[in-house]
Amino acid sequence: MSRKPLIAGNWKMNKNVSEGAALAAEIAGADIDYSTRDVLFAPPFTGIYAVAEAVKKAGGKALVAAQNIYFEESGAFTGEVSSGMIKSAGASWVILGHSERRSIFGETDEIINKKVKKALADGLSVILCVGETLWEREAKAEVETVLAQTGKGLEGVEDLSNVVIAYEPVWAIGTGKTASPADAEAMHKAIREYIAKIRSSAAAENIRILYGGSMKPDNAKELMACPDIDGGLVGGASLKADQFLKIINFDK
Ligand code: PEP
């Protein structure tokens, strides 16, 4: 198994242009072995260009993502941003289907699937987020929910080589509650088995599945030790250079 860990920071609606550039410069310029891990920054749209420039100055090894795109190329879509626009600003990745997009902005699996297809067609790599609510977990519907989101999000996407899945239990995002390594591993394994069923065993073996939900310096090592956990999608702890660097260097 040779999946390279990916540690991705989702900055959400935080950091202005200069703050974002400074944070990216500090982290990307630190002691990171990029041959054994990928590191990604997802600033708000306004920060992409400055973060991409800061990453270039630091050696160009970290990855830059947007937190969303719209599925059209251009036109009368006030307030939206296209894949071509984020690429021209310096992003090569995009996070899609985050639970905040689903719950606050009403994004459905169908909308997310259109965005996934548009991003991939335009040469972006995608982090597709899936995850159950507390209510769904208490109703023992967590696996069914997560696999349905995975299947619908990837409908019509045959080649998964530019896709990463992030399993983020909604009840763990920004709450300080983390899924236990055993519960997280069980879901990651279920997702991988499902990918084998709907695509191929090679696709399942190769796809990276990240854990998200209050990943922090003190729980990253244990989570990352799980065989089906290939990295983290980190919110709060990605906003402080020292904390994010400890997660990036989880094995040091
Ligand atoms: C997230 O935003 O994807 C996330 C996991 O946030 P946090 O790490 O703050 O729970």
Side-chain angles (χ1 to χ4, degrees), residues 138-195:
E138 283 172 350
K140 302 211 181 314
E142 70 274 23
V143 175
E144 182 191 329
T145 302
V146 166
L147 299 189
Q149 288 173 351
T150 305
K152 288 180 187 166
L154 296 178
E155 216 167 277
V157 178
E158 293 311 314
D159 179 6
L160 300 184
S161 48
N162 292 321
V163 176
V164 167
I165 294 177
Y167 167 57
E168 301 203 298
V170 177
W171 47 270
I173 297 177
T175 58
K177 289 184 197 147
T178 315
S180 69
D183 283 350
E185 169 59 22
M187 187 63 85
H188 283 232
K189 192 161 180 283
I191 295 170
R192 202 176 300 286
E193 285 169 0
Y194 181 65
I195 297 290

Short mmCIF file of all heavy atoms in Angstrom, two decimals, residues 138-195:
data_model
loop_
_atom_site.label_atom_id
_atom_site.label_comp_id
_atom_site.label_asym_id
_atom_site.label_seq_id
_atom_site.Cartn_x
_atom_site.Cartn_y
_atom_site.Cartn_z
N GLU A 138 -27.07 8.26 15.58
CA GLU A 138 -27.89 7.67 16.66
C GLU A 138 -28.95 6.73 16.10
O GLU A 138 -29.34 5.77 16.74
CB GLU A 138 -28.51 8.78 17.50
CG GLU A 138 -27.47 9.37 18.46
CD GLU A 138 -27.94 10.61 19.21
OE1 GLU A 138 -29.01 11.15 18.88
OE2 GLU A 138 -27.20 11.02 20.13
N ALA A 139 -29.38 7.01 14.87
CA ALA A 139 -30.37 6.13 14.22
C ALA A 139 -29.69 4.94 13.53
O ALA A 139 -30.33 4.18 12.81
CB ALA A 139 -31.17 6.93 13.20
N LYS A 140 -28.39 4.82 13.73
CA LYS A 140 -27.57 3.74 13.14
C LYS A 140 -27.63 3.76 11.61
O LYS A 140 -27.58 2.72 10.95
CB LYS A 140 -27.99 2.37 13.70
CG LYS A 140 -27.88 2.28 15.21
CD LYS A 140 -27.56 0.88 15.67
CE LYS A 140 -27.46 0.73 17.18
NZ LYS A 140 -26.71 1.75 17.88
N ALA A 141 -27.76 4.96 11.07
CA ALA A 141 -27.82 5.11 9.60
C ALA A 141 -26.55 5.75 9.06
O ALA A 141 -26.53 6.24 7.94
CB ALA A 141 -29.04 5.96 9.22
N GLU A 142 -25.47 5.72 9.87
CA GLU A 142 -24.28 6.48 9.45
C GLU A 142 -23.60 5.88 8.22
O GLU A 142 -23.19 6.62 7.31
CB GLU A 142 -23.28 6.64 10.62
CG GLU A 142 -22.57 5.38 11.09
CD GLU A 142 -23.34 4.58 12.11
OE1 GLU A 142 -24.57 4.71 12.17
OE2 GLU A 142 -22.72 3.80 12.85
N VAL A 143 -23.51 4.57 8.16
CA VAL A 143 -22.81 3.96 7.01
C VAL A 143 -23.64 4.16 5.75
O VAL A 143 -23.11 4.60 4.71
CB VAL A 143 -22.54 2.45 7.28
CG1 VAL A 143 -21.93 1.80 6.04
CG2 VAL A 143 -21.60 2.28 8.48
N GLU A 144 -24.92 3.91 5.86
CA GLU A 144 -25.83 4.09 4.71
C GLU A 144 -25.76 5.54 4.18
O GLU A 144 -25.67 5.78 2.98
CB GLU A 144 -27.24 3.77 5.24
CG GLU A 144 -28.35 3.84 4.28
CD GLU A 144 -29.69 3.78 5.05
OE1 GLU A 144 -29.76 3.13 6.12
OE2 GLU A 144 -30.64 4.39 4.55
N THR A 145 -25.77 6.50 5.11
CA THR A 145 -25.72 7.92 4.73
C THR A 145 -24.42 8.25 4.00
O THR A 145 -24.42 8.87 2.93
CB THR A 145 -25.80 8.81 6.00
OG1 THR A 145 -27.00 8.51 6.69
CG2 THR A 145 -25.73 10.29 5.68
N VAL A 146 -23.32 7.83 4.59
CA VAL A 146 -22.00 8.18 4.03
C VAL A 146 -21.78 7.49 2.69
O VAL A 146 -21.27 8.11 1.74
CB VAL A 146 -20.90 7.81 5.06
CG1 VAL A 146 -19.52 7.82 4.43
CG2 VAL A 146 -20.95 8.79 6.24
N LEU A 147 -22.19 6.25 2.56
CA LEU A 147 -21.99 5.56 1.28
C LEU A 147 -22.91 6.15 0.20
O LEU A 147 -22.51 6.28 -0.95
CB LEU A 147 -22.21 4.05 1.43
CG LEU A 147 -21.26 3.34 2.40
CD1 LEU A 147 -21.41 1.83 2.31
CD2 LEU A 147 -19.80 3.74 2.20
N ALA A 148 -24.10 6.56 0.59
CA ALA A 148 -25.01 7.19 -0.39
C ALA A 148 -24.41 8.51 -0.87
O ALA A 148 -24.41 8.81 -2.07
CB ALA A 148 -26.38 7.42 0.23
N GLN A 149 -23.86 9.30 0.05
CA GLN A 149 -23.23 10.58 -0.35
C GLN A 149 -22.03 10.31 -1.27
O GLN A 149 -21.81 11.04 -2.24
CB GLN A 149 -22.76 11.35 0.88
CG GLN A 149 -23.89 11.94 1.71
CD GLN A 149 -23.39 12.57 3.02
OE1 GLN A 149 -22.22 12.42 3.39
NE2 GLN A 149 -24.28 13.25 3.71
N THR A 150 -21.28 9.27 -0.94
CA THR A 150 -20.10 8.93 -1.76
C THR A 150 -20.54 8.52 -3.17
O THR A 150 -20.03 9.04 -4.17
CB THR A 150 -19.31 7.78 -1.09
OG1 THR A 150 -19.00 8.15 0.25
CG2 THR A 150 -18.03 7.48 -1.84
N GLY A 151 -21.49 7.62 -3.24
CA GLY A 151 -21.95 7.12 -4.55
C GLY A 151 -22.56 8.23 -5.39
O GLY A 151 -22.25 8.36 -6.59
N LYS A 152 -23.39 9.07 -4.78
CA LYS A 152 -24.05 10.14 -5.54
C LYS A 152 -23.04 11.21 -5.94
O LYS A 152 -23.11 11.76 -7.03
CB LYS A 152 -25.19 10.76 -4.73
CG LYS A 152 -26.38 9.82 -4.61
CD LYS A 152 -27.47 10.46 -3.79
CE LYS A 152 -28.59 9.48 -3.50
NZ LYS A 152 -29.49 9.96 -2.45
N GLY A 153 -22.11 11.51 -5.05
CA GLY A 153 -21.10 12.53 -5.36
C GLY A 153 -20.21 12.11 -6.52
O GLY A 153 -19.72 12.95 -7.27
N LEU A 154 -20.02 10.80 -6.66
CA LEU A 154 -19.11 10.30 -7.69
C LEU A 154 -19.84 9.74 -8.91
O LEU A 154 -19.20 9.13 -9.78
CB LEU A 154 -18.21 9.19 -7.09
CG LEU A 154 -17.25 9.64 -5.98
CD1 LEU A 154 -16.47 8.45 -5.44
CD2 LEU A 154 -16.29 10.71 -6.49
N GLU A 155 -21.14 9.94 -8.99
CA GLU A 155 -21.90 9.39 -10.12
C GLU A 155 -21.32 9.91 -11.44
O GLU A 155 -21.08 11.10 -11.62
CB GLU A 155 -23.37 9.83 -10.00
CG GLU A 155 -24.32 8.76 -10.46
CD GLU A 155 -25.74 9.09 -10.02
OE1 GLU A 155 -26.07 8.78 -8.86
OE2 GLU A 155 -26.47 9.69 -10.84
N GLY A 156 -21.06 8.99 -12.35
CA GLY A 156 -20.54 9.39 -13.67
C GLY A 156 -19.05 9.69 -13.67
O GLY A 156 -18.50 10.08 -14.69
N VAL A 157 -18.40 9.53 -12.54
CA VAL A 157 -16.95 9.77 -12.47
C VAL A 157 -16.27 8.40 -12.45
O VAL A 157 -16.29 7.70 -11.45
CB VAL A 157 -16.57 10.56 -11.20
CG1 VAL A 157 -15.06 10.77 -11.13
CG2 VAL A 157 -17.30 11.89 -11.16
N GLU A 158 -15.71 8.03 -13.58
CA GLU A 158 -15.11 6.69 -13.67
C GLU A 158 -13.67 6.68 -13.13
O GLU A 158 -13.28 5.77 -12.42
CB GLU A 158 -15.12 6.19 -15.12
CG GLU A 158 -16.53 5.93 -15.67
CD GLU A 158 -17.38 5.07 -14.73
OE1 GLU A 158 -16.86 4.05 -14.22
OE2 GLU A 158 -18.56 5.42 -14.50
N ASP A 159 -12.92 7.71 -13.49
CA ASP A 159 -11.51 7.76 -13.09
C ASP A 159 -11.38 8.51 -11.76
O ASP A 159 -11.66 9.71 -11.69
CB ASP A 159 -10.72 8.47 -14.19
CG ASP A 159 -9.24 8.60 -13.85
OD1 ASP A 159 -8.81 8.04 -12.80
OD2 ASP A 159 -8.52 9.26 -14.62
N LEU A 160 -10.96 7.80 -10.72
CA LEU A 160 -10.88 8.42 -9.39
C LEU A 160 -9.46 8.86 -9.04
O LEU A 160 -9.18 9.17 -7.88
CB LEU A 160 -11.40 7.44 -8.33
CG LEU A 160 -12.86 6.98 -8.50
CD1 LEU A 160 -13.27 6.09 -7.32
CD2 LEU A 160 -13.80 8.16 -8.62
N SER A 161 -8.58 8.89 -10.05
CA SER A 161 -7.18 9.18 -9.70
C SER A 161 -6.97 10.61 -9.20
O SER A 161 -5.99 10.87 -8.51
CB SER A 161 -6.23 8.84 -10.84
OG SER A 161 -6.71 9.36 -12.04
N ASN A 162 -7.89 11.52 -9.52
CA ASN A 162 -7.75 12.89 -9.01
C ASN A 162 -8.81 13.22 -7.94
O ASN A 162 -9.16 14.38 -7.73
CB ASN A 162 -7.82 13.91 -10.15
CG ASN A 162 -6.61 13.79 -11.04
OD1 ASN A 162 -5.49 13.58 -10.56
ND2 ASN A 162 -6.81 13.87 -12.34
N VAL A 163 -9.28 12.18 -7.28
CA VAL A 163 -10.30 12.36 -6.25
C VAL A 163 -9.77 11.85 -4.91
O VAL A 163 -9.15 10.80 -4.83
CB VAL A 163 -11.60 11.58 -6.61
CG1 VAL A 163 -12.63 11.69 -5.48
CG2 VAL A 163 -12.19 12.08 -7.92
N VAL A 164 -10.03 12.65 -3.88
CA VAL A 164 -9.76 12.26 -2.49
C VAL A 164 -11.11 12.35 -1.78
O VAL A 164 -11.90 13.26 -2.07
CB VAL A 164 -8.75 13.24 -1.84
CG1 VAL A 164 -8.68 13.07 -0.34
CG2 VAL A 164 -7.36 13.08 -2.47
N ILE A 165 -11.38 11.43 -0.88
CA ILE A 165 -12.62 11.52 -0.10
C ILE A 165 -12.25 11.96 1.32
O ILE A 165 -11.23 11.51 1.87
CB ILE A 165 -13.35 10.17 -0.09
CG1 ILE A 165 -13.82 9.87 -1.51
CG2 ILE A 165 -14.54 10.19 0.87
CD1 ILE A 165 -14.49 8.56 -1.70
N ALA A 166 -13.04 12.86 1.88
CA ALA A 166 -12.83 13.25 3.28
C ALA A 166 -14.06 12.80 4.07
O ALA A 166 -15.18 13.27 3.79
CB ALA A 166 -12.63 14.74 3.41
N TYR A 167 -13.84 11.87 5.00
CA TYR A 167 -14.94 11.47 5.90
C TYR A 167 -14.93 12.41 7.09
O TYR A 167 -13.97 12.45 7.88
CB TYR A 167 -14.76 10.02 6.37
CG TYR A 167 -15.68 9.70 7.53
CD1 TYR A 167 -17.06 9.87 7.38
CD2 TYR A 167 -15.19 9.28 8.76
CE1 TYR A 167 -17.93 9.62 8.44
CE2 TYR A 167 -16.05 9.03 9.82
CZ TYR A 167 -17.41 9.21 9.66
OH TYR A 167 -18.26 8.98 10.71
N GLU A 168 -16.01 13.18 7.21
CA GLU A 168 -16.12 14.15 8.29
C GLU A 168 -17.46 14.00 8.99
O GLU A 168 -18.47 14.53 8.52
CB GLU A 168 -16.02 15.57 7.73
CG GLU A 168 -14.75 15.85 6.98
CD GLU A 168 -14.46 17.34 6.95
OE1 GLU A 168 -15.27 18.09 6.38
OE2 GLU A 168 -13.45 17.75 7.50
N PRO A 169 -17.48 13.26 10.11
CA PRO A 169 -18.73 13.17 10.85
C PRO A 169 -19.16 14.59 11.29
O PRO A 169 -18.36 15.30 11.90
CB PRO A 169 -18.39 12.29 12.05
CG PRO A 169 -16.91 12.15 12.08
CD PRO A 169 -16.37 12.54 10.74
N VAL A 170 -20.37 14.98 10.93
CA VAL A 170 -20.79 16.38 11.13
C VAL A 170 -20.71 16.76 12.60
O VAL A 170 -20.33 17.88 12.96
CB VAL A 170 -22.22 16.58 10.56
CG1 VAL A 170 -22.71 17.99 10.82
CG2 VAL A 170 -22.24 16.28 9.07
N TRP A 171 -21.02 15.82 13.49
CA TRP A 171 -21.03 16.09 14.93
C TRP A 171 -19.62 16.30 15.47
O TRP A 171 -19.46 16.73 16.62
CB TRP A 171 -21.72 14.93 15.67
CG TRP A 171 -21.25 13.58 15.23
CD1 TRP A 171 -21.77 12.82 14.22
CD2 TRP A 171 -20.13 12.85 15.74
NE1 TRP A 171 -21.05 11.66 14.08
CE2 TRP A 171 -20.04 11.65 15.00
CE3 TRP A 171 -19.20 13.08 16.76
CZ2 TRP A 171 -19.06 10.70 15.24
CZ3 TRP A 171 -18.22 12.13 17.00
CH2 TRP A 171 -18.16 10.96 16.24
N ALA A 172 -18.60 16.04 14.67
CA ALA A 172 -17.22 16.22 15.14
C ALA A 172 -16.58 17.48 14.58
O ALA A 172 -15.49 17.86 15.00
CB ALA A 172 -16.38 15.00 14.74
N ILE A 173 -17.25 18.16 13.63
CA ILE A 173 -16.63 19.32 12.98
C ILE A 173 -16.76 20.55 13.86
O ILE A 173 -17.87 20.98 14.17
CB ILE A 173 -17.26 19.58 11.59
CG1 ILE A 173 -17.00 18.39 10.67
CG2 ILE A 173 -16.70 20.86 10.98
CD1 ILE A 173 -17.64 18.51 9.31
N GLY A 174 -15.62 21.08 14.27
CA GLY A 174 -15.58 22.31 15.04
C GLY A 174 -16.16 22.18 16.44
O GLY A 174 -16.43 23.18 17.10
N THR A 175 -16.36 20.96 16.91
CA THR A 175 -17.01 20.75 18.21
C THR A 175 -16.02 20.33 19.29
O THR A 175 -16.38 20.29 20.47
CB THR A 175 -18.06 19.63 18.10
OG1 THR A 175 -17.38 18.44 17.65
CG2 THR A 175 -19.17 19.98 17.13
N GLY A 176 -14.80 19.97 18.88
CA GLY A 176 -13.85 19.44 19.85
C GLY A 176 -14.06 17.95 20.09
O GLY A 176 -13.26 17.30 20.75
N LYS A 177 -15.16 17.39 19.54
CA LYS A 177 -15.40 15.94 19.67
C LYS A 177 -14.78 15.26 18.46
O LYS A 177 -15.03 15.67 17.32
CB LYS A 177 -16.90 15.63 19.64
CG LYS A 177 -17.62 16.06 20.87
CD LYS A 177 -19.07 15.60 20.76
CE LYS A 177 -19.91 16.37 21.76
NZ LYS A 177 -21.26 16.62 21.29
N THR A 178 -14.00 14.22 18.70
CA THR A 178 -13.38 13.50 17.58
C THR A 178 -13.96 12.10 17.54
O THR A 178 -14.22 11.52 18.59
CB THR A 178 -11.85 13.39 17.81
OG1 THR A 178 -11.38 14.67 18.23
CG2 THR A 178 -11.13 12.99 16.56
N ALA A 179 -14.12 11.55 16.35
CA ALA A 179 -14.51 10.14 16.27
C ALA A 179 -13.37 9.32 16.87
O ALA A 179 -12.20 9.69 16.73
CB ALA A 179 -14.73 9.76 14.81
N SER A 180 -13.69 8.22 17.52
CA SER A 180 -12.61 7.39 18.04
C SER A 180 -11.88 6.80 16.84
O SER A 180 -12.48 6.61 15.77
CB SER A 180 -13.19 6.26 18.90
OG SER A 180 -13.88 5.35 18.06
N PRO A 181 -10.59 6.52 17.00
CA PRO A 181 -9.87 5.92 15.87
C PRO A 181 -10.58 4.66 15.36
O PRO A 181 -10.65 4.44 14.15
CB PRO A 181 -8.49 5.59 16.46
CG PRO A 181 -8.31 6.63 17.53
CD PRO A 181 -9.68 6.84 18.12
N ALA A 182 -11.16 3.87 16.25
CA ALA A 182 -11.84 2.65 15.81
C ALA A 182 -13.07 2.97 14.97
O ALA A 182 -13.30 2.35 13.91
CB ALA A 182 -12.23 1.81 17.03
N ASP A 183 -13.87 3.96 15.40
CA ASP A 183 -15.07 4.33 14.63
C ASP A 183 -14.68 4.95 13.29
O ASP A 183 -15.31 4.68 12.26
CB ASP A 183 -15.94 5.32 15.42
CG ASP A 183 -16.74 4.63 16.51
OD1 ASP A 183 -16.78 3.38 16.53
OD2 ASP A 183 -17.32 5.35 17.36
N ALA A 184 -13.64 5.80 13.32
CA ALA A 184 -13.20 6.43 12.07
C ALA A 184 -12.69 5.36 11.11
O ALA A 184 -13.07 5.33 9.94
CB ALA A 184 -12.12 7.47 12.36
N GLU A 185 -11.86 4.47 11.62
CA GLU A 185 -11.30 3.41 10.76
C GLU A 185 -12.42 2.55 10.17
O GLU A 185 -12.38 2.19 8.99
CB GLU A 185 -10.31 2.55 11.56
CG GLU A 185 -9.85 1.26 10.90
CD GLU A 185 -9.15 1.44 9.55
OE1 GLU A 185 -8.63 2.54 9.26
OE2 GLU A 185 -9.14 0.46 8.77
N ALA A 186 -13.43 2.24 10.98
CA ALA A 186 -14.52 1.39 10.47
C ALA A 186 -15.21 2.08 9.29
O ALA A 186 -15.53 1.44 8.28
CB ALA A 186 -15.52 1.11 11.59
N MET A 187 -15.43 3.39 9.40
CA MET A 187 -16.09 4.09 8.30
C MET A 187 -15.18 4.19 7.07
O MET A 187 -15.62 4.00 5.93
CB MET A 187 -16.53 5.49 8.74
CG MET A 187 -17.37 6.20 7.71
SD MET A 187 -18.94 5.36 7.37
CE MET A 187 -19.94 6.06 8.69
N HIS A 188 -13.90 4.47 7.30
CA HIS A 188 -12.97 4.55 6.17
C HIS A 188 -12.91 3.22 5.42
O HIS A 188 -12.88 3.18 4.19
CB HIS A 188 -11.57 4.95 6.66
CG HIS A 188 -11.44 6.41 6.97
ND1 HIS A 188 -10.45 7.21 6.46
CD2 HIS A 188 -12.20 7.22 7.74
CE1 HIS A 188 -10.61 8.46 6.90
NE2 HIS A 188 -11.66 8.48 7.69
N LYS A 189 -12.91 2.14 6.18
CA LYS A 189 -12.86 0.80 5.58
C LYS A 189 -14.13 0.56 4.76
O LYS A 189 -14.09 0.04 3.64
CB LYS A 189 -12.72 -0.24 6.69
CG LYS A 189 -12.37 -1.62 6.24
CD LYS A 189 -11.81 -2.41 7.44
CE LYS A 189 -11.44 -3.82 7.04
NZ LYS A 189 -12.64 -4.69 6.92
N ALA A 190 -15.26 0.99 5.33
CA ALA A 190 -16.54 0.80 4.62
C ALA A 190 -16.54 1.60 3.31
O ALA A 190 -17.02 1.13 2.27
CB ALA A 190 -17.71 1.23 5.52
N ILE A 191 -15.99 2.81 3.36
CA ILE A 191 -15.93 3.63 2.14
C ILE A 191 -15.02 2.95 1.11
O ILE A 191 -15.37 2.83 -0.07
CB ILE A 191 -15.42 5.06 2.45
CG1 ILE A 191 -16.40 5.81 3.35
CG2 ILE A 191 -15.17 5.85 1.16
CD1 ILE A 191 -15.87 7.14 3.92
N ARG A 192 -13.89 2.44 1.57
CA ARG A 192 -12.95 1.81 0.63
C ARG A 192 -13.59 0.56 0.00
O ARG A 192 -13.47 0.32 -1.20
CB ARG A 192 -11.64 1.47 1.35
CG ARG A 192 -10.47 1.31 0.37
CD ARG A 192 -9.13 1.08 1.08
NE ARG A 192 -8.72 2.14 1.98
CZ ARG A 192 -8.26 3.34 1.59
NH1 ARG A 192 -8.15 3.62 0.31
NH2 ARG A 192 -7.90 4.25 2.49
N GLU A 193 -14.28 -0.22 0.81
CA GLU A 193 -14.93 -1.42 0.27
C GLU A 193 -16.02 -1.04 -0.74
O GLU A 193 -16.23 -1.72 -1.75
CB GLU A 193 -15.51 -2.26 1.42
CG GLU A 193 -14.41 -3.00 2.17
CD GLU A 193 -14.88 -3.64 3.48
OE1 GLU A 193 -16.08 -3.53 3.83
OE2 GLU A 193 -14.02 -4.23 4.14
N TYR A 194 -16.69 0.06 -0.44
CA TYR A 194 -17.74 0.53 -1.34
C TYR A 194 -17.14 0.99 -2.69
O TYR A 194 -17.69 0.70 -3.76
CB TYR A 194 -18.50 1.68 -0.67
CG TYR A 194 -19.63 2.24 -1.48
CD1 TYR A 194 -20.76 1.47 -1.79
CD2 TYR A 194 -19.59 3.55 -1.94
CE1 TYR A 194 -21.80 2.00 -2.53
CE2 TYR A 194 -20.63 4.10 -2.67
CZ TYR A 194 -21.73 3.31 -2.97
OH TYR A 194 -22.76 3.85 -3.71
N ILE A 195 -15.99 1.66 -2.63
CA ILE A 195 -15.31 2.10 -3.87
C ILE A 195 -14.91 0.85 -4.68
O ILE A 195 -15.04 0.83 -5.91
CB ILE A 195 -14.06 2.96 -3.54
CG1 ILE A 195 -14.45 4.26 -2.83
CG2 ILE A 195 -13.26 3.27 -4.82
CD1 ILE A 195 -15.18 5.28 -3.66
#
